[in-house]
């Protein structure tokens, strides 16, 4: 079984066309995709979590 794709936070922000500050505001409200902190301190988002989060945003806007 392949490991899930993990995206770096800058890549997520680029894909969402969102500033880091805006992303962290969403995160503080519990409305952002889940972040994982690696032992070296870097942050990652699973591709599947981001895709599910985006699908949820589409459903909420409909």
């Amino acid at each position: 079984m392949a490991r899930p794709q993990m995206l770096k936070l800058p890549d997520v922000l680029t894909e969402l066309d969102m500033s880091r500050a805006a992303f962290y505001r969403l995160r503080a409200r519990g409305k952002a995709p889940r972040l994982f902190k690696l032992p070296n301190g870097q942050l990652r988002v699973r591709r599947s979590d981001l895709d599910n989060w985006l699908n949820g945003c589409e459903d909420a806007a409909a």
Side-chain angles (χ1 to χ4, degrees):
M1 178 188 244
R3 291 185 312 166
Q5 183 182 8
M6 302 293 276
L7 303 170
K8 294 179 181 181
L9 186 56
D11 297 332
V12 173
L13 297 175
T14 298
E15 185 169 332
L16 297 176
D17 192 25
M18 182 180 287
S19 70
R20 184 178 293 263
F23 183 85
Y24 277 104
R25 282 192 299 271
L26 283 175
R27 187 171 180 235
R29 291 187 294 225
K31 298 187 182 234
R34 183 176 175 191
L35 285 176
F36 293 91
K37 191 172 193 176
L38 301 178
N40 63 4
Q42 293 181 0
L43 298 174
R44 296 287 190 272
V45 176
R46 277 191 189 115
R47 165 53 69 188
S48 59
D49 289 344
L50 180 60
D51 290 342
N52 290 336
W53 179 78
L54 285 170
N55 288 335
C57 291
E58 287 177 7
D59 294 342

